[in-house]
Amino acid sequence: MPVTNFNHPDPYQYQTGFDSYHETEAVKGALPIGQNSPQKAPYGLYTEKLSGTAFTAPRHENKQTWVYRILPAAAHENFIAEDSSSYHTSMTTETQKLHHIPNQLRWDPFDLDEKVDWVHGLHLIAGSGDPTLKQGLGILMYAAGKDMGKEAFYSADGDFLIVPQHGVLDIQTELGRIIVRPNEICVIPRGVRYRVTLPDGPVRGYICEVYQGHYQLPELGPIGSNCLANGRDFQAPVAAFDDEEESDYKLYSKFNNTLFAARQNHTPFDVVAWHGNYYPFKYDLGRFNVIGSISFDHPDPSIFTVLTAPSDHTGTAVADFVIFPPRWLVAEGTFRPPWYHRNTMSEFMGLISGDYDAKVGGGFQPAGASLHNVMSAHGPDSGAFEGASNAELKPQKVGDGSMAFMFESSLMVGVSEWGLKTCQKVQPEYNEHSWKPLKRHFVNPNKTT
């Protein structure tokens, strides 16, 4: 059976559909009828528009949501930069502070950290581009063990794609609540404010933040209209609000990878109703419908793409989110693991659970990661190669109980100081252990003894 959360109890309600236009109200009649911005909104609410694209973006790309809230989001004190000593060296993507190196890299499992909350548990491990120009991406690890208090957080830099590896995230957003567990993902769009609490204790996982564009479903081409991730399986929250007369809150902003904070005397979670197509959503990876070869060879790993953030060049992504779930292999006469390759795309891999079938030596573990940058050669380790080269090619189920994934980007990514040194998780002998043991098998028919 695929890894899935179908039967896991969830206390919250959801609307279904990817990129659908949703409308929801926590109080009947809170949504205006026929107008987005009436002279007086129902129940004395304030009207506010949340825009994820330029007003003049093409209709099929335009993302916006109208919210009807108790007080506007603008009602807060000035933002002040937080003390950078506790976070800045682990969050910055300043180009001069990233290490651009061609070496293959792999990390041991990252530590849990029970001393910090979500905001202070974010660590940039690799990135490319510049959020001020809305170009590129950042790859982060998170580890936290404390609930956020009367606080909220948002990123002005980009959309967060959150991939939990350990623990449960209870995410209270302006637009409603979402529970996210391992083998589920969640996307929080740029600017949406939220608060994270931890109902089952410490959490750990991965984030791919795109500074450029938004995540969308990949085109299916000759695959047709079905398979991979189906739009009906994505879930968005329904409106839910806090009604507090006066309450002191701290609002955090991630702005050009610098943390700012502002005070306000009311809850940020006061949206009573909303409608639009710009909102957070979640997806259960167990619902991904895998396809593959039923004859010989095997297709490119792009057939495992769940979500993509396209660049301006057709068919080329700022970031693809690709998974390797449980699946059957039936190809005849075929070397079944990934072939050895050098890729113009950068590949950052993580492991949520189990063992990845192309890395059998034990060095790639859940909560760990690897990075094969632009044109850095890689492929199966020596054990996987020998096993696959000599295996009986009968139908075989691989990946039971496992879920590996990849953030793939057309950009050359640099590794942060935290990722390369501070975290102390880089495996110094990754290359040597993986590929140095490969043996020469070539028999030259033209060579005489």
Side-chain angles (χ1 to χ4, degrees):
M1 292 291 293
V3 179
T4 182
N5 294 295
F6 284 164
N7 299 315
H8 202 295
D10 193 324
Y12 304 129
Q13 296 179 325
Y14 301 97
Q15 308 170 85
T16 60
F18 185 87
D19 206 23
S20 303
Y21 201 94
H22 290 307
E23 62 176 46
T24 172
E25 54 186 11
V27 174
K28 186 174 177 58
L31 279 175
I33 298 174
Q35 279 186 282
N36 293 327
S37 183
Q39 183 179 20
K40 289 187 177 181
Y43 299 112
L45 297 171
Y46 285 87
T47 302
E48 183 175 282
K49 186 179 182 183
L50 180 61
S51 295
T53 55
F55 297 142
T56 52
R59 184 180 288 268
H60 71 278
E61 296 177 2
N62 210 296
K63 289 188 175 292
Q64 60 174 344
T65 288
W66 290 90
V67 303
Y68 304 90
R69 63 192 317 153
I70 297 171
L71 284 170
H76 58 73
E77 297 177 2
N78 284 339
F79 280 100
I80 299 173
E82 289 279 279
D83 179 8
S84 64
S85 62
S86 64
Y87 76 89
H88 190 66
T89 55
S90 64
M91 194 181 287
T92 183
T93 54
E94 295 174 39
T95 303
Q96 68 272 22
K97 294 186 178 180
L98 295 177
H99 302 269
H100 292 84
I101 52 180
N103 292 332
Q104 304 96 330
L105 296 174
R106 190 163 69 186
W107 289 265
D108 287 330
F110 293 92
D111 294 330
L112 295 166
D113 188 346
E114 300 188 24
K115 302 184 298 295
V116 298
D117 61 14
W118 172 265
V119 177
H120 298 91
L122 300 173
H123 299 279
L124 184 96
I125 189 169
S128 180
D130 186 341
T132 69
L133 300 176
K134 295 187 177 178
Q135 295 177 349
L137 81 164
I139 298 171
L140 302 94
M141 301 296 303
Y142 71 82
K146 295 169 60 177
D147 292 345
M148 291 176 65
K150 288 200 167 184
E151 300 166 322
F153 170 82
Y154 74 92
S155 175
D157 295 342
D159 291 7
F160 268 33
L161 190 162
I162 302 168
V163 184
Q165 186 277 323
H166 177 88
V168 178
L169 303 174
D170 189 338
I171 305 176
Q172 181 182 15
T173 81
E174 296 177 89
L175 305 182
R177 305 189 71 137
I178 297 176
I179 283 276
V180 193
R181 313 172 188 86
N183 291 310
E184 295 177 326
I185 60 169
C186 175
V187 172
I188 309 286
R190 183 197 310 267
V192 171
R193 298 174 180 182
Y194 62 100
R195 172 178 176 265
V196 178
T197 55
L198 316 176
D200 286 351
V203 296
R204 175 177 56 197
Y206 312 81
I207 297 169
C208 188
E209 182 179 22
V210 289
Y211 310 144
Q212 182 173 344
H214 301 284
Y215 287 104
Q216 62 186 54
L217 292 176
E219 299 295 340
L220 292 178
I223 294 174
S225 57
N226 297 302
C227 295
L228 307 191
N230 290 311
R232 68 182 291 258
D233 293 325
F234 288 80
Q235 299 176 299
V238 299
F241 69 99
D242 293 340
D243 185 8
E244 302 174 3
E245 290 290 337
E246 263 194 46
S247 189
D248 290 329
Y249 267 81
K250 190 173 186 178
L251 175 62
Y252 288 103
S253 172
K254 179 177 177 287
F255 201 90
N256 191 23
N257 282 304
T258 300
L259 196 62
F260 292 82
R263 296 285 181 179
Q264 63 182 60
N265 63 359
H266 60 95
T267 175
F269 307 109
D270 64 352
V271 174
V272 179
W274 61 268
H275 66 89
N277 64 353
Y278 190 64
Y279 44 75
F281 59 85
K282 63 178 278 189
Y283 175 72
D284 184 338
L285 299 179
R287 303 187 183 193
F288 187 82
N289 192 356
V290 183
I291 66 170
S293 172
I294 54 172
S295 55
F296 62 89
D297 283 346
H298 54 99
D300 296 322
S302 43
I303 61 169
F304 300 114
T305 303
V306 180
L307 293 170
T308 183
S311 71
D312 296 333
H313 186 71
T314 302
T316 304
V318 175
D320 282 332
F321 174 60
V322 178
I323 64 172
F324 302 96
R327 62 203 182 278
W328 281 94
L329 300 180
V330 299
E332 299 176 328
T334 297
F335 182 75
R336 288 179 173 175
W339 53 84
Y340 294 98
H341 61 289
R342 291 168 291 165
N343 195 350
T344 188
M345 307 279 279
S346 298
E347 303 175 25
F348 179 92
M349 283 198 69
L351 186 59
I352 299 170
S353 61
D355 296 307
Y356 178 48
D357 52 287
K359 299 289 183 183
V360 298
F364 186 48
Q365 301 176 52
S370 66
L371 174 63
H372 304 128
N373 225 319
V374 173
M375 290 302 172
S376 294
H378 59 287
D381 56 34
S382 58
F385 173 81
E386 294 296 336
S389 298
N390 297 290
E392 180 185 357
L393 294 182
K394 57 184 179 181
Q396 177 189 11
K397 184 75 174 289
V398 298
D400 265 340
S402 173
M403 185 68 77
F405 72 88
M406 182 162 61
F407 300 143
E408 189 174 48
S409 175
S410 61
L411 305 173
M412 181 182 290
V413 300
V415 184
S416 70
E417 185 74 9
W418 182 88
L420 194 62
K421 299 176 184 178
T422 309
C423 72
Q424 299 182 342
K425 294 297 180 181
V426 172
Q427 298 177 6
E429 299 177 343
Y430 171 42
N431 185 310
E432 182 175 349
H433 285 170
S434 293
W435 299 294
K436 187 175 180 180
L438 288 168
K439 299 175 182 178
R440 177 188 172 100
H441 296 285
F442 178 59
V443 179
N444 188 343
N446 299 320
K447 186 175 180 180
T448 58
T449 56

